[in-house]
């Protein structure tokens, strides 16, 4: 191999290495694509849709009510939940027998859900959220494993991977969330 080809090879290798490092940094700290699996967020999100997840925003501000967030299962499966933030730190959440959600005694108006919950679970009695705790629900309340069940429970800010900000696939459903 002559000197010119060796330099070209080294330059190409360095370029490739820098691209890999930048891609890793973006995926780890800024954003990534994820696919919706299941029906727990219907009608807002449907299985097999692809989303862009913003991993940067929550480093500078807290999640807000109605944000759609991603957080890991509490096992080592590597799977993630995608749910909507309903209750914020310091609030009291209650779901009555008709499936209405109350925050600090005020009924939450929800025009994005598929149907009201038939099982209030942990929120069948007033549930006060501690500092840094969030109550999350799927939009398809009767087909969602969320903060109403002990396996999920309350989600802390440090468990949150990021928020869904953009639906990119299928292309005809492209939308800012």
């Amino acid at each position: 191999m002559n000197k010119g080809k060796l330099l070209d090879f080294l330059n190409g290798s360095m370029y490739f290495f820098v691209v890999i490092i930048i891609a890793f940094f973006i995926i780890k700290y800024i954003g990534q694509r994820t696919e919706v699996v299941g029906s727990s967020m219907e009608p807002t999100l449907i299985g097999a849709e692809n989303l862009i997840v913003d991993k940067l925003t929550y480093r500078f501000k807290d999640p807000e009510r109605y944000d759609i967030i991603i957080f890991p299962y509490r096992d080592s499966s590597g799977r993630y939940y995608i749910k909507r933030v309903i209750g914020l730190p310091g609030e009291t959440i209650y779901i009555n027998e008709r499936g209405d959600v109350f925050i600090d005694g005020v009924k939450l108006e929800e025009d994005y859900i598929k149907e009201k919950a038939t099982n209030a679970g942990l929120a069948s009695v007033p549930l006060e959220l501690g500092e840094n705790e969030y109550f999350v629900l799927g939009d398809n309340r009767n087909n969602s494993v969320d903060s109403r069940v002990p396996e999920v429970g309350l989600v802390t800010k440090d468990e949150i991977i990021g928020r869904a900000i953009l639906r990119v696939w299928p292309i005809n459903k492209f939308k800012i969330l």
Side-chain angles (χ1 to χ4, degrees):
M1 185 179 278
N2 67 32
K3 196 173 192 178
K5 287 185 179 183
L6 180 60
L7 284 175
D8 287 345
F9 174 76
L10 291 175
N11 283 336
S13 297
M14 183 61 81
Y15 177 77
F16 180 74
F17 180 72
V18 169
V19 168
I20 294 296
I21 295 297
I22 290 170
F24 172 79
F25 178 79
I26 289 171
I27 291 169
K28 179 79 175 162
Y29 298 106
I30 297 175
Q32 74 181 55
R33 181 199 62 82
T34 191
E35 182 177 335
V36 176
V37 176
S39 60
S40 73
M41 285 300 292
E42 288 179 2
T44 307
L45 301 172
I46 310 298
E49 291 181 338
N50 282 250
L51 312 173
I52 299 297
V53 177
D54 163 21
K55 294 178 158 186
L56 194 59
T57 299
Y58 294 152
R59 295 182 188 275
F60 304 103
K61 70 177 207 129
D62 293 331
E64 298 176 3
R65 188 174 341 277
Y66 306 118
D67 284 357
I68 299 173
I69 64 167
I70 288 79
F71 58 98
Y73 278 52
R74 291 199 171 116
D75 61 18
S76 59
S77 67
R79 297 179 301 166
Y80 296 92
Y81 288 109
I82 181 164
K83 304 294 176 196
R84 187 180 298 273
V85 173
I86 299 299
L88 304 173
E91 294 180 334
T92 300
I93 307 297
Y94 169 67
I95 301 175
N96 69 12
E97 63 281 347
R98 292 183 303 280
D100 298 315
V101 177
F102 290 84
I103 299 173
D104 293 334
V106 177
K107 183 180 173 187
L108 185 65
E109 296 301 324
E110 300 180 288
D111 61 354
Y112 49 82
I113 63 173
K114 186 170 185 174
E115 59 192 3
K116 292 182 180 184
T118 56
N119 181 1
L122 297 175
S124 63
V125 296
L127 180 63
E128 186 175 341
L129 304 181
E131 184 179 324
N132 204 33
E133 292 181 328
Y134 296 86
F135 188 88
V136 299
L137 292 172
D139 291 355
N140 185 357
R141 300 286 160 81
N142 294 314
N143 192 20
S144 178
V145 177
D146 47 39
S147 286
R148 296 172 293 164
V149 299
E151 301 88 67
V152 176
L154 303 177
V155 178
T156 60
K157 184 178 178 185
D158 63 326
E159 292 177 293
I160 299 171
I161 303 294
R163 68 184 176 118
I165 58 169
L166 190 64
R167 178 175 34 222
V168 295
W169 188 262
I171 197 72
N172 65 332
K173 289 187 165 187
F174 185 90
K175 179 182 180 181
I176 294 174
L177 299 172

